[in-house]
Structures are given as structure tokens and as C-alpha cells.
Amino acid sequence: MSGSSGSSGSPGPSAALPGDPPGGSRAALVWGVGVAVYFVAVIFRTSLGVAGLDAADRFDVNASALSTFSILQLLVYAGMQIPVGLMVDRLGTKKVLTLGVVLFTVGQLGFALSPSYGMALAARALLGCGDAMTFISVLRLGSRWFPARRGPLIGQVAALFGMAGNLVSTILISRMLHGLGWTATFAGSAAAGVLVLVLLLLFLKDHPEGHEPAPVSHAGGAFVRRQIAQSWREPGTRLGMWVHFTTQFPAMVFLLLWGMPFLVEAQGLSRETAGELLTLVVLSNMVVGLAYGQIVARHHAARTPLALGTVATTALLWAATLAYPGDRAPMWLLVTLCVVLGACGPASMIGFDFARPANPPERQGTASGIVNMGGFVASMTTLLAVGVLLDATGDDYRIAFSSVFVLQALGLTQILRLRGRTARRERERLVASRVEAVHVPV
């Protein structure tokens, strides 16, 4: 989508941009199928977060080796973002999502049946490859089926359903592990992938009738280089990537792997209480996501303050928890930390709201891939740093988790550097669109 919702001079709440898709119940159904695919992908992605201690016992590995599971998965995910964006722009949503479902379902089943650490690593890599194809596809699906002004809210709602998948992991997968065991839990969950594959093949369509994208020349390597270069040249794309980089990873690291060990081993909580705190992060994410989506859709200028405010608050609570006197932080502080971590995911979605108006429809997938790569590179780096530091310091979580501040400082510097350029570029596009509108013959 090429419009910028909520910006000055944009259409009012009831207006539609020229050529906008109509939305409606059919759009909700088709988009809902895509969201269901993303929902299952997140369940599979985050299932290791509640199984970290079980995985360490099953494969007899230390903290660094355990973190390799998530690092490899995220390495594949991050490395696939730009290729997937190009695939979505070229092949369409349905083909890419279909391939993604097959890969992450096979990966989840392989993880259930792996007899060794090496085979389990390969299964997580396959899962990460399939997972990488879901979110960008869902974002593009939303832009093809709903009016541009709904972009921020549609993106946040999609992320909300992803967090609901995380909620399934923290509640259902955790209980299944202790009731059914490793193999039955992961193999049984793979059936959800088969279900969404059937729904996808039956009901999903790339775009509504009458809103086919304009034909684009896909001339091999030249097309790829042009798509990437033109997307990267836009300061809004780069700003979006750094916003995603800086905001997403603290909660991702906490939920994906290290939250449970930190709460159990460093804070002395039971696994049940730790699971409840992880659930609190997810619930907070869902509530904040709806609020951020509404705010950005109505007040475009709120994007940067929301992103910077989330980074500052997260850093403050993280520092307060790690620096609290004594061996353990009080429960009220841990609860507050988890509530604040819940804002990280919604804040990362703001990155797409910088890239979306900066790129035309035929580059949306590529630009979204660049943005989405940011947070997962940061998460992967921090997962590795925490694992290495834990092994090097004898499981000192205060030192290990302090690595978060290094990446936050790097990302914050880039956000402050790029926000002025992005604002100027958006004003230039707004002026150009007004001039073009004045010269359009009636």
C-alpha cells in the first residue's frame, strides 16, 4: 500500500484512497486464514521457550548449546527475510504461505522425533525457514485486501494473533510436555500445521477481484538488485528496520528461551509461577498491541514517541530488575517488568508503519523483509551473548542480561539519526501527492 494512514492531509476515517481494496467480510475471511497460518507458526516457533529445560535434559547440553537451538532458528529466519520479501512480491502470498506451512510442519514433526542434538538442530532450522515465510505474507495479504488507512491496526491485530500463539505455547504446550512427554507433545502439535494447510489451499486468495497488482518486470538478478536497492534507499525503510531491531528483542529473548531459566534459576520461582509471568508478557502484548494500533492509525506523528518511549521504559525496568539489591527481585518488580516487556512486540510493529508509506505496492514485501530482519538479528545476537556469558560467568544472569543494553544503545543511535530524514521524505511525498491531485483532470 502506498498511502500513509493518519498523516496530515490524509483521508478522513470514512474515506478510501483511490484504488484501495474495499475490505469487508470476504477480506476478513481470507486474511483470517493467513493469520491462522501465522498463529500456528508462532506456536511452533515459541514452543522451545517453555521446553528449554526439558531440551537441555533430553539432549544433555549446556547453556550455549541450548541457545544454539533458538539462534539457528532465528539465523535462518532473519537470513530468509529479504529472499521471502522478494518471493512474495514475485510469486504472491498463497504460494509462499503454502511452502512455509509445509516446511514449519515438517520441522516441528522432525523436532519431536529427533534422537540426537544434531538432528534436532536441523529440524529447528527447517522450522525457522518455514516460519520466515509467514508474517511478511500476512502483512502483504492485509495490504491487498484492506484500505491503506487500516494498515497500522491490521498489522497490530495480526501480531496480536501471533502473541495468542505464544500464549498457547506458555499454557498448553507447557502442560502437554509434563502430561504427555516430549514426542507426543511436539508430534501432536504438528497436526495444527496440516489443518491450516488445508484451510489455506481451500480459501486463501492473493487479492480481491478488480484489485490485481500492476504487472512488474521480474528480470532475474536485475530485478532482485533493484528491489533491494530501492527499498533500502528509502530512509523510512531503514528507520523501520532499526525501530524493529531496538524494540522487539528484549521480549523475544525472554519469551523464546531465557525467561523461564532466569525466573526459575536466578529468581527462585517455581516453573508454574514462571509460566504465569511469561503468560503475563503475552497478555500485556495483546492489550498494548490494540492500543498502539489505534493510536498510530489516528495519530501518525505518535510513531516515534511510542517507539522511543517503549525502549526507554524497557531499559529502565530491565536495569531495575538486574540491579535490585540482594539475590532476587521482588515479585512486584518482576510483574512490572513482564508488563513492560509486553509493549516490545507492538512497538516493533511501528517499524512497518515507517516502511509501508515509503514504498510502492510492488516493493512492500521486500521492504517488510528488511524491516522484519532487524528485530530477529538483534534477538539472535542477544540469545548468543546471554548463553556465552552464562557459561563464562557461572550462570550470572545479571552480567549475561546486561548485553541487552548494548544493542538498545546501538539501535537508539540509529533511530535518532534517521528520524529527521524520514520525516523530510514523508513531507516531500505528501507535497508531491497534493500537486499530483491538483493536476488530475476531472
Side-chain angles (χ1 to χ4, degrees), residues 52-53 55-57 60-71 117 257-258 261 265 382-397 400:
L53 298 177
D57 292 338
D60 191 24
V61 293
N62 61 14
S64 295
L66 180 61
S67 67
T68 303
F69 276 122
S70 296
I71 292 167
Y117 176 69
L257 184 60
W258 292 121
E265 296 176 355
T382 309
L383 283 168
L384 175 61
V386 170
V388 170
L389 288 171
L390 284 174
D391 286 339
T393 60
D395 292 339
D396 189 327
Y397 279 90

Side-chain angles (χ1 to χ4, degrees), residues 8 11 63 72 111 168 191 202 241 249 299 305 315 329 358 365 379 388 404 428:
S8 175
L72 178 61
F111 193 57
V168 170
L202 289 177
M241 185 196 73
F249 79 94
H299 307 285
S379 298
V388 170
V404 168
E428 290 171 1

Side-chain angles (χ1 to χ4, degrees), residues 277-355:
L277 287 176
L278 294 179
T279 302
L280 179 61
V281 177
V282 177
L283 293 174
S284 172
N285 183 296
M286 297 170 74
V287 173
V288 175
L290 286 176
Y292 276 20
Q294 292 281 3
I295 292 170
V296 173
R298 297 176 182 180
H299 307 285
H300 213 47
R303 293 172 300 171
T304 301
L306 283 176
L308 293 177
T310 302
V311 173
T313 307
T314 303
L316 177 63
L317 266 296
W318 202 274
T321 301
L322 297 181
Y324 196 86
D327 293 334
R328 298 171 183 174
M331 180 58 70
W332 66 264
L333 184 54
L334 294 176
V335 168
T336 306
L337 172 66
C338 289
V339 170
V340 170
L341 285 175
C344 291
S348 72
M349 291 298 301
I350 295 173
F352 296 101
D353 294 318
F354 283 109

Side-chain angles (χ1 to χ4, degrees), residues 105-150:
T105 301
V106 172
Q108 184 78 341
L109 183 61
F111 193 57
L113 303 177
S114 295
S116 67
Y117 176 69
M119 291 186 66
L121 277 178
R124 294 306 285 187
L126 195 62
L127 192 157
C129 186
D131 181 20
M133 299 182 180
T134 58
F135 191 62
I136 292 176
S137 297
V138 172
L139 286 179
R140 187 180 188 273
L141 195 66
S143 70
R144 292 296 189 191
W145 281 89
F146 291 96
R149 69 184 185 279
R150 298 189 183 275

